[in-house]
Amino acid sequence: MPIASPEAYAEMLDRAKAGRYAYPAINVTSSQTLNAALKGFADAESDGIIQVSTGGAEYLSGPSVKDMVTGAVAFAAYAHEVAKKYPVNIALHTDHCPKDKLDGFVRPLMAISQERVKGGQEPLFQSHMWDGSAVPVAENLQIAAQLLDEAAKGKIVLEIEVGVVGGEEDGVENAINDKLYTTVEDGLAMVEALGLGEKGRYMAALTFGNVHGVYKPGNVKLRPEILNQIQEAVGAKYGKDKPLSLVFHGGSGSLLEEIREALDYGVVKMNIDTDTQYAFTRPVADHMLRNYDGVLKIDGEVGNKKQYDPRAWGKLAEAGLAARVVEACEHLRSTGTRMK
């Protein structure tokens, strides 16, 4: 199928919330990781979201270019072409973008999509994330309102973060403290500033103890009930049941029951990066260690071309990542839910 249209993406998100499941949002950094994610979604018969961060986009542009917009556009162009061969709907998304990178990443990409829409085409990306966790809530929401207006012009869904995700990702680092928990007051302020869809569609990454990176279950206290409290408060004020479409960041190491509880409270998208990075790299390490004398030309020998051919270990890496995507779909209850 082609990359999801704005209408198909909206239906995906609505179906997920109604069905109490979420889409894995897989961070990728190359054509290989993109292809692996596509295969994983197809194997799980699940629609999905594939995303690039600012660092991922820069990496995709090439080591001597290091331009986030160039890398993101190249990634999207490749994805639009290869996704046609898979029987699932895929949305393209850009991950965490802090304030100092908006003008060099999200805003130019939104402008490209606006021009495409004016010309009768679909947007290049289906959604973009503004990460305002490092600025005061009032400023965060002021910028979010401006971006939401621009996103609506390009038929794009905006994702915002209200609260702080601990740990580090792409150079954005936050301490692990009480700021990891979004308050009901923050949620109400968000809706007052952004509305509930009439100004443009958005998703909210509300935080309930989330931490980026690797940690063992129990090391960080997740409180999914916070999501329910905010949903109920907003719903009571505006007369709507579960009005917010929520995003779960920093879920590596979370207990399955915590993940499932968050789904029940309206999470429709869960970012997965650390776990899929390892799933991609682990088979490569295994191949290199098992075939040490083949992948290296030791003591003047010639090695074994079949073992150091990048396709040999690349296929193993892709299979590992694809299998982890299948597992993520199972965890998030999206297996078998693809839209026909």
Side-chain angles (χ1 to χ4, degrees):
M1 295 180 182
I3 292 294
S5 66
E7 295 75 19
Y9 191 28
E11 184 178 351
M12 283 170 58
L13 299 177
D14 289 341
R15 283 165 56 105
K17 187 161 65 170
R20 295 176 181 255
Y21 62 88
Y23 299 106
I26 308 300
N27 280 72
V28 301
T29 55
S30 64
S31 59
Q32 279 189 302
T33 48
L34 167 64
N35 288 336
L38 287 169
K39 183 179 187 304
F41 284 122
D43 289 347
E45 297 186 350
S46 169
D47 301 321
I49 299 169
I50 296 178
Q51 59 192 25
V52 290
S53 64
T54 55
E58 182 182 275
Y59 181 80
L60 278 156
S61 74
S64 63
V65 178
K66 294 185 177 181
D67 181 82
M68 295 181 291
V69 173
T70 296
V73 170
F75 154 76
Y78 184 84
H80 275 268
E81 193 61 37
V82 296
K84 297 174 185 177
K85 300 294 184 179
Y86 291 86
V88 288
N89 298 279
I90 298 296
L92 303 182
H93 177 79
T94 60
D95 200 9
H96 293 269
C97 182
K99 181 180 176 181
D100 64 342
K101 293 183 178 179
L102 283 173
D103 289 341
F105 190 51
V106 164
R107 287 192 174 111
L109 291 174
M110 281 189 176
I112 290 170
S113 285
Q114 289 172 2
E115 288 302 310
R116 287 170 61 96
V117 168
K118 284 180 185 176
Q121 296 177 281
E122 303 287 9
L124 189 64
F125 283 83
Q126 286 59 62
S127 51
H128 295 290
M129 184 193 174
W130 148 236
D131 183 354
S133 62
V135 303
V137 172
E139 183 182 2
N140 180 355
L141 295 178
Q142 181 183 31
I143 294 172
Q146 296 167 353
L147 291 171
L148 184 61
D149 182 59
E150 293 302 312
K153 294 175 184 176
K155 297 184 177 181
I156 297 161
V157 176
L158 181 69
E159 179 185 331
I160 69 167
E161 184 171 308
V162 180
V164 174
V165 177
E168 185 273 335
E169 182 174 51
D170 263 5
V172 178
E173 186 169 1
N174 293 303
I176 298 174
N177 54 35
D178 288 344
K179 292 183 179 180
L180 302 188
Y181 304 97
T182 305
T183 66
V184 168
E185 291 73 24
D186 290 338
L188 290 169
M190 175 186 73
V191 175
E192 185 175 346
L194 304 181
L196 285 174
E198 68 276 8
K199 298 179 182 180
R201 182 151 191 163
Y202 68 94
M203 297 180 283
L206 306 182
T207 58
F208 51 101
N210 323 50
V211 175
H212 287 134
V214 183
Y215 62 93
K216 293 181 179 179
N219 284 12
V220 174
K221 178 61 176 175
L222 289 177
R223 296 172 54 200
E225 69 274 10
I226 287 176
L227 303 181
N228 192 41
Q229 292 166 6
I230 296 172
Q231 287 278 28
E232 289 184 342
V234 173
K237 182 173 181 178
Y238 293 92
K240 294 186 177 182
D241 179 49
K242 206 159 64 174
L244 302 173
S245 295
L246 304 179
V247 180
F248 187 164
H249 286 205
S252 296
S254 299
L255 298 173
L256 184 57
E257 54 264 35
E258 294 172 333
I259 294 172
R260 294 274 173 85
E261 185 179 355
L263 303 185
D264 292 340
Y265 299 148
V267 166
V268 297
K269 172 180 180 280
M270 179 174 172
N271 288 13
I272 301 175
D273 187 16
T274 302
D275 291 347
T276 45
Q277 286 179 343
Y278 184 75
F280 185 83
T281 301
R282 178 65 179 80
V284 179
D286 181 71
H287 176 83
M288 298 302 174
L289 292 172
R290 289 178 182 272
N291 300 287
Y292 185 79
D293 56 349
V295 297
L296 296 178
K297 298 181 179 182
I298 299 172
D299 295 333
E301 293 299 324
V302 296
N304 186 333
K305 183 180 183 302
K306 291 184 178 179
Q307 291 173 355
Y308 61 74
D309 184 335
R311 290 169 294 184
W313 48 265
K315 290 175 183 177
L316 299 174
E318 290 178 36
L321 195 156
R324 184 60 183 84
V325 172
V326 171
E327 181 182 350
C329 292
E330 299 255 351
H331 288 172
L332 300 183
R333 303 178 182 145
S334 71
T335 302
T337 63
R338 71 181 178 91
M339 300 190 302
K340 301 296 194 288

